[in-house]
Amino acid sequence: MPTKKILITGGAGYIGSHMAAHVARAGFTPVIFDDFSTGHRAACGNFDCVTGSLHNSDLLKEVFAQHSFAAVMHFASFIQVGESVIDPAKYYYNNVAGTLTLLRAMLAGGVNYFIFSSSAAVYGEPDYAPIDESHRIAPINPYGHSKWIIEQALQDYAASYAFKYCALRYFNAAGADAEQGLGECHDPETHLIPLILQAATGQRAAITVFGNDYPTEDGTCVRDYIHVKDLCNAHWLALQALWHGAPSNSYNLGTGVGYSVQQVIEIARNVTKAMIPIVLGKRRAGDPAVLVADPSRAMAELNWTPEYIDLTTIVADAWKFCRNKETV
């Protein structure tokens, strides 16, 4: 490994900013590449930061010429499922075309290790739970399609070039590293835990529960919440595995433990000591009743063990970030 620099695209975003901090703690130098369409400059800290678009091939060429990177970690994508249905062109242009431009620049720059931020959305409506990597791939929205298209491209790149990758399929990323001033801060916010915490602080009047008649214990959807710190650790272990000769592969990242929407709300009430009013809404199209990961492949092959399985800890960390943000 000739260098200790890592290029982190989307490094001003939620997971990318946590990854940059993790890389730095590991003794490597993160270089952030972000267009700041959704990211936050404050999340970059004092790290070297390049402002630009993945579609700017000349800028990418310049970045790869200026730096010798050991790997690229790619987080620069749009992530709102509903928006992807309304405006698929936005998602194919950014998540697919932008990533392919990045991969072309990597190959030209001689950088052969790639960690890809994928999604459980590639599975679509699950046939069973927990979901393992042998589950059929059948995305049901443009966001999921965009992730799967890139995974297929990566398979072809690995077969044809001196190129290795890990595609990490997230379930529900959550939590924060409040001590580092990092946490979830989307605009608009679409993720359940920060929405609940906004209801706890009074930023929104109530939290909407979309359906309470699912075939689950309390009738609300069940999801697998993984702490962002555990996600970052999995990314780092995946990259180390590639450096040590492991084959390219795709991995589920979750805890294997599911919590219903109602359970998440009750945990947040206990953590925040707030009432958190609920409004019952209709089911949303494409919301499976249960989405829980089988993370055993990542645990066995990457020697990864999620540390923050207890959702109370995840919510408490997110709440700490939320409260710190209010006092700034």
Side-chain angles (χ1 to χ4, degrees), residues 175-199:
D177 188 348
E179 286 72 20
Q180 297 289 326
L182 300 174
E184 198 162 4
C185 191
H186 301 112
D187 184 18
E189 188 56 72
T190 59
H191 292 176
L192 180 63
I193 290 175
L195 287 173
I196 292 172
L197 297 182
Q198 286 179 4

PDB file of all heavy atoms in Angstrom, residues 175-199:
ATOM      1  N   GLY A 175     -28.220   6.833  14.519  1.00  0.00           N
ATOM      2  CA  GLY A 175     -27.256   7.192  15.552  1.00  0.00           C
ATOM      3  C   GLY A 175     -26.391   8.369  15.151  1.00  0.00           C
ATOM      4  O   GLY A 175     -26.601   9.011  14.127  1.00  0.00           O
ATOM      5  N   ALA A 176     -25.383   8.639  15.973  1.00  0.00           N
ATOM      6  CA  ALA A 176     -24.529   9.806  15.772  1.00  0.00           C
ATOM      7  C   ALA A 176     -23.246   9.647  16.568  1.00  0.00           C
ATOM      8  O   ALA A 176     -23.149   8.803  17.456  1.00  0.00           O
ATOM      9  CB  ALA A 176     -25.262  11.076  16.212  1.00  0.00           C
ATOM     10  N   ASP A 177     -22.271  10.469  16.217  1.00  0.00           N
ATOM     11  CA  ASP A 177     -21.050  10.598  17.007  1.00  0.00           C
ATOM     12  C   ASP A 177     -21.034  12.027  17.532  1.00  0.00           C
ATOM     13  O   ASP A 177     -20.342  12.901  17.002  1.00  0.00           O
ATOM     14  CB  ASP A 177     -19.827  10.301  16.139  1.00  0.00           C
ATOM     15  CG  ASP A 177     -18.541  10.217  16.943  1.00  0.00           C
ATOM     16  OD1 ASP A 177     -18.562  10.608  18.130  1.00  0.00           O
ATOM     17  OD2 ASP A 177     -17.517   9.768  16.392  1.00  0.00           O
ATOM     18  N   ALA A 178     -21.846  12.260  18.553  1.00  0.00           N
ATOM     19  CA  ALA A 178     -22.070  13.623  19.040  1.00  0.00           C
ATOM     20  C   ALA A 178     -20.793  14.263  19.557  1.00  0.00           C
ATOM     21  O   ALA A 178     -20.613  15.486  19.465  1.00  0.00           O
ATOM     22  CB  ALA A 178     -23.137  13.613  20.139  1.00  0.00           C
ATOM     23  N   GLU A 179     -19.880  13.437  20.106  1.00  0.00           N
ATOM     24  CA  GLU A 179     -18.622  13.991  20.624  1.00  0.00           C
ATOM     25  C   GLU A 179     -17.798  14.630  19.506  1.00  0.00           C
ATOM     26  O   GLU A 179     -17.026  15.560  19.743  1.00  0.00           O
ATOM     27  CB  GLU A 179     -17.804  12.898  21.322  1.00  0.00           C
ATOM     28  CG  GLU A 179     -18.340  12.474  22.680  1.00  0.00           C
ATOM     29  CD  GLU A 179     -19.623  11.655  22.583  1.00  0.00           C
ATOM     30  OE1 GLU A 179     -19.899  11.092  21.493  1.00  0.00           O
ATOM     31  OE2 GLU A 179     -20.354  11.592  23.574  1.00  0.00           O
ATOM     32  N   GLN A 180     -17.960  14.119  18.288  1.00  0.00           N
ATOM     33  CA  GLN A 180     -17.267  14.685  17.136  1.00  0.00           C
ATOM     34  C   GLN A 180     -18.100  15.766  16.448  1.00  0.00           C
ATOM     35  O   GLN A 180     -17.677  16.316  15.429  1.00  0.00           O
ATOM     36  CB  GLN A 180     -16.950  13.579  16.127  1.00  0.00           C
ATOM     37  CG  GLN A 180     -16.011  12.503  16.645  1.00  0.00           C
ATOM     38  CD  GLN A 180     -14.595  12.987  16.813  1.00  0.00           C
ATOM     39  OE1 GLN A 180     -14.117  13.814  16.042  1.00  0.00           O
ATOM     40  NE2 GLN A 180     -13.915  12.486  17.839  1.00  0.00           N
ATOM     41  N   GLY A 181     -19.286  16.039  16.988  1.00  0.00           N
ATOM     42  CA  GLY A 181     -20.168  17.022  16.366  1.00  0.00           C
ATOM     43  C   GLY A 181     -20.820  16.517  15.105  1.00  0.00           C
ATOM     44  O   GLY A 181     -21.253  17.309  14.253  1.00  0.00           O
ATOM     45  N   LEU A 182     -20.926  15.189  14.977  1.00  0.00           N
ATOM     46  CA  LEU A 182     -21.458  14.582  13.760  1.00  0.00           C
ATOM     47  C   LEU A 182     -22.771  13.869  14.046  1.00  0.00           C
ATOM     48  O   LEU A 182     -22.923  13.216  15.081  1.00  0.00           O
ATOM     49  CB  LEU A 182     -20.457  13.582  13.181  1.00  0.00           C
ATOM     50  CG  LEU A 182     -19.089  14.136  12.799  1.00  0.00           C
ATOM     51  CD1 LEU A 182     -18.150  13.004  12.390  1.00  0.00           C
ATOM     52  CD2 LEU A 182     -19.220  15.156  11.663  1.00  0.00           C
ATOM     53  N   GLY A 183     -23.709  14.001  13.118  1.00  0.00           N
ATOM     54  CA  GLY A 183     -24.985  13.331  13.267  1.00  0.00           C
ATOM     55  C   GLY A 183     -25.817  13.479  12.015  1.00  0.00           C
ATOM     56  O   GLY A 183     -25.348  13.971  10.980  1.00  0.00           O
ATOM     57  N   GLU A 184     -27.074  13.047  12.119  1.00  0.00           N
ATOM     58  CA  GLU A 184     -27.963  13.020  10.961  1.00  0.00           C
ATOM     59  C   GLU A 184     -28.671  14.358  10.829  1.00  0.00           C
ATOM     60  O   GLU A 184     -29.335  14.828  11.757  1.00  0.00           O
ATOM     61  CB  GLU A 184     -28.979  11.888  11.142  1.00  0.00           C
ATOM     62  CG  GLU A 184     -29.659  11.467   9.870  1.00  0.00           C
ATOM     63  CD  GLU A 184     -30.319  10.103   9.989  1.00  0.00           C
ATOM     64  OE1 GLU A 184     -30.315   9.521  11.097  1.00  0.00           O
ATOM     65  OE2 GLU A 184     -30.836   9.627   8.976  1.00  0.00           O
ATOM     66  N   CYS A 185     -28.544  14.970   9.645  1.00  0.00           N
ATOM     67  CA  CYS A 185     -29.085  16.319   9.454  1.00  0.00           C
ATOM     68  C   CYS A 185     -29.448  16.503   7.987  1.00  0.00           C
ATOM     69  O   CYS A 185     -28.773  17.221   7.256  1.00  0.00           O
ATOM     70  CB  CYS A 185     -28.058  17.359   9.905  1.00  0.00           C
ATOM     71  SG  CYS A 185     -28.707  19.022  10.022  1.00  0.00           S
ATOM     72  N   HIS A 186     -30.517  15.806   7.557  1.00  0.00           N
ATOM     73  CA  HIS A 186     -30.961  15.917   6.168  1.00  0.00           C
ATOM     74  C   HIS A 186     -31.977  17.050   6.017  1.00  0.00           C
ATOM     75  O   HIS A 186     -32.659  17.411   6.973  1.00  0.00           O
ATOM     76  CB  HIS A 186     -31.614  14.605   5.712  1.00  0.00           C
ATOM     77  CG  HIS A 186     -30.720  13.420   5.795  1.00  0.00           C
ATOM     78  ND1 HIS A 186     -30.924  12.385   6.688  1.00  0.00           N
ATOM     79  CD2 HIS A 186     -29.601  13.090   5.101  1.00  0.00           C
ATOM     80  CE1 HIS A 186     -29.983  11.472   6.536  1.00  0.00           C
ATOM     81  NE2 HIS A 186     -29.171  11.884   5.590  1.00  0.00           N
ATOM     82  N   ASP A 187     -32.076  17.567   4.809  1.00  0.00           N
ATOM     83  CA  ASP A 187     -33.062  18.606   4.521  1.00  0.00           C
ATOM     84  C   ASP A 187     -33.659  18.348   3.131  1.00  0.00           C
ATOM     85  O   ASP A 187     -33.003  18.595   2.126  1.00  0.00           O
ATOM     86  CB  ASP A 187     -32.414  19.990   4.563  1.00  0.00           C
ATOM     87  CG  ASP A 187     -33.437  21.105   4.371  1.00  0.00           C
ATOM     88  OD1 ASP A 187     -34.655  20.843   4.545  1.00  0.00           O
ATOM     89  OD2 ASP A 187     -33.025  22.231   4.028  1.00  0.00           O
ATOM     90  N   PRO A 188     -34.894  17.845   3.054  1.00  0.00           N
ATOM     91  CA  PRO A 188     -35.792  17.558   4.176  1.00  0.00           C
ATOM     92  C   PRO A 188     -35.396  16.241   4.858  1.00  0.00           C
ATOM     93  O   PRO A 188     -34.770  15.384   4.245  1.00  0.00           O
ATOM     94  CB  PRO A 188     -37.164  17.429   3.502  1.00  0.00           C
ATOM     95  CG  PRO A 188     -36.843  16.910   2.129  1.00  0.00           C
ATOM     96  CD  PRO A 188     -35.538  17.562   1.750  1.00  0.00           C
ATOM     97  N   GLU A 189     -35.787  16.114   6.114  1.00  0.00           N
ATOM     98  CA  GLU A 189     -35.512  14.882   6.844  1.00  0.00           C
ATOM     99  C   GLU A 189     -36.553  13.829   6.480  1.00  0.00           C
ATOM    100  O   GLU A 189     -37.745  14.117   6.428  1.00  0.00           O
ATOM    101  CB  GLU A 189     -35.534  15.140   8.353  1.00  0.00           C
ATOM    102  CG  GLU A 189     -35.070  13.944   9.172  1.00  0.00           C
ATOM    103  CD  GLU A 189     -33.683  13.482   8.772  1.00  0.00           C
ATOM    104  OE1 GLU A 189     -32.705  14.185   9.073  1.00  0.00           O
ATOM    105  OE2 GLU A 189     -33.598  12.412   8.129  1.00  0.00           O
ATOM    106  N   THR A 190     -36.087  12.603   6.208  1.00  0.00           N
ATOM    107  CA  THR A 190     -37.007  11.527   5.838  1.00  0.00           C
ATOM    108  C   THR A 190     -36.832  10.282   6.700  1.00  0.00           C
ATOM    109  O   THR A 190     -37.625   9.358   6.591  1.00  0.00           O
ATOM    110  CB  THR A 190     -36.814  11.124   4.359  1.00  0.00           C
ATOM    111  OG1 THR A 190     -35.463  10.692   4.154  1.00  0.00           O
ATOM    112  CG2 THR A 190     -37.117  12.296   3.430  1.00  0.00           C
ATOM    113  N   HIS A 191     -35.802  10.249   7.550  1.00  0.00           N
ATOM    114  CA  HIS A 191     -35.518   9.051   8.339  1.00  0.00           C
ATOM    115  C   HIS A 191     -36.262   9.087   9.672  1.00  0.00           C
ATOM    116  O   HIS A 191     -36.421  10.141  10.286  1.00  0.00           O
ATOM    117  CB  HIS A 191     -34.016   8.915   8.556  1.00  0.00           C
ATOM    118  CG  HIS A 191     -33.272   8.611   7.294  1.00  0.00           C
ATOM    119  ND1 HIS A 191     -31.898   8.527   7.240  1.00  0.00           N
ATOM    120  CD2 HIS A 191     -33.699   8.353   6.031  1.00  0.00           C
ATOM    121  CE1 HIS A 191     -31.518   8.244   6.000  1.00  0.00           C
ATOM    122  NE2 HIS A 191     -32.600   8.137   5.256  1.00  0.00           N
ATOM    123  N   LEU A 192     -36.687   7.908  10.107  1.00  0.00           N
ATOM    124  CA  LEU A 192     -37.620   7.820  11.225  1.00  0.00           C
ATOM    125  C   LEU A 192     -37.076   8.412  12.521  1.00  0.00           C
ATOM    126  O   LEU A 192     -37.754   9.224  13.165  1.00  0.00           O
ATOM    127  CB  LEU A 192     -38.031   6.355  11.454  1.00  0.00           C
ATOM    128  CG  LEU A 192     -39.005   6.124  12.611  1.00  0.00           C
ATOM    129  CD1 LEU A 192     -40.327   6.833  12.355  1.00  0.00           C
ATOM    130  CD2 LEU A 192     -39.209   4.629  12.852  1.00  0.00           C
ATOM    131  N   ILE A 193     -35.883   8.001  12.944  1.00  0.00           N
ATOM    132  CA  ILE A 193     -35.408   8.427  14.263  1.00  0.00           C
ATOM    133  C   ILE A 193     -35.231   9.943  14.346  1.00  0.00           C
ATOM    134  O   ILE A 193     -35.728  10.566  15.296  1.00  0.00           O
ATOM    135  CB  ILE A 193     -34.127   7.663  14.652  1.00  0.00           C
ATOM    136  CG1 ILE A 193     -34.486   6.189  14.940  1.00  0.00           C
ATOM    137  CG2 ILE A 193     -33.447   8.302  15.860  1.00  0.00           C
ATOM    138  CD1 ILE A 193     -33.309   5.292  15.232  1.00  0.00           C
ATOM    139  N   PRO A 194     -34.568  10.608  13.404  1.00  0.00           N
ATOM    140  CA  PRO A 194     -34.499  12.073  13.520  1.00  0.00           C
ATOM    141  C   PRO A 194     -35.864  12.746  13.410  1.00  0.00           C
ATOM    142  O   PRO A 194     -36.091  13.789  14.042  1.00  0.00           O
ATOM    143  CB  PRO A 194     -33.572  12.489  12.373  1.00  0.00           C
ATOM    144  CG  PRO A 194     -33.476  11.311  11.485  1.00  0.00           C
ATOM    145  CD  PRO A 194     -33.701  10.106  12.316  1.00  0.00           C
ATOM    146  N   LEU A 195     -36.807  12.163  12.657  1.00  0.00           N
ATOM    147  CA  LEU A 195     -38.154  12.729  12.605  1.00  0.00           C
ATOM    148  C   LEU A 195     -38.831  12.641  13.970  1.00  0.00           C
ATOM    149  O   LEU A 195     -39.486  13.587  14.420  1.00  0.00           O
ATOM    150  CB  LEU A 195     -38.998  11.997  11.554  1.00  0.00           C
ATOM    151  CG  LEU A 195     -38.667  12.290  10.088  1.00  0.00           C
ATOM    152  CD1 LEU A 195     -39.461  11.372   9.168  1.00  0.00           C
ATOM    153  CD2 LEU A 195     -38.942  13.754   9.745  1.00  0.00           C
ATOM    154  N   ILE A 196     -38.677  11.490  14.621  1.00  0.00           N
ATOM    155  CA  ILE A 196     -39.238  11.328  15.970  1.00  0.00           C
ATOM    156  C   ILE A 196     -38.620  12.341  16.924  1.00  0.00           C
ATOM    157  O   ILE A 196     -39.317  12.959  17.749  1.00  0.00           O
ATOM    158  CB  ILE A 196     -39.006   9.896  16.473  1.00  0.00           C
ATOM    159  CG1 ILE A 196     -39.840   8.894  15.659  1.00  0.00           C
ATOM    160  CG2 ILE A 196     -39.343   9.778  17.957  1.00  0.00           C
ATOM    161  CD1 ILE A 196     -39.524   7.441  15.976  1.00  0.00           C
ATOM    162  N   LEU A 197     -37.303  12.538  16.824  1.00  0.00           N
ATOM    163  CA  LEU A 197     -36.628  13.475  17.728  1.00  0.00           C
ATOM    164  C   LEU A 197     -37.035  14.918  17.444  1.00  0.00           C
ATOM    165  O   LEU A 197     -37.076  15.751  18.364  1.00  0.00           O
ATOM    166  CB  LEU A 197     -35.119  13.289  17.632  1.00  0.00           C
ATOM    167  CG  LEU A 197     -34.606  11.912  18.077  1.00  0.00           C
ATOM    168  CD1 LEU A 197     -33.094  11.845  17.979  1.00  0.00           C
ATOM    169  CD2 LEU A 197     -35.075  11.578  19.493  1.00  0.00           C
ATOM    170  N   GLN A 198     -37.362  15.211  16.195  1.00  0.00           N
ATOM    171  CA  GLN A 198     -37.889  16.546  15.891  1.00  0.00           C
ATOM    172  C   GLN A 198     -39.242  16.757  16.559  1.00  0.00           C
ATOM    173  O   GLN A 198     -39.554  17.858  17.028  1.00  0.00           O
ATOM    174  CB  GLN A 198     -38.007  16.732  14.372  1.00  0.00           C
ATOM    175  CG  GLN A 198     -36.677  16.937  13.677  1.00  0.00           C
ATOM    176  CD  GLN A 198     -36.819  17.102  12.173  1.00  0.00           C
ATOM    177  OE1 GLN A 198     -37.930  17.144  11.639  1.00  0.00           O
ATOM    178  NE2 GLN A 198     -35.693  17.197  11.480  1.00  0.00           N
ATOM    179  N   ALA A 199     -40.041  15.688  16.626  1.00  0.00           N
ATOM    180  CA  ALA A 199     -41.318  15.775  17.346  1.00  0.00           C
ATOM    181  C   ALA A 199     -41.080  15.940  18.842  1.00  0.00           C
ATOM    182  O   ALA A 199     -41.838  16.632  19.541  1.00  0.00           O
ATOM    183  CB  ALA A 199     -42.173  14.539  17.067  1.00  0.00           C
TER     184      ALA A 199
END
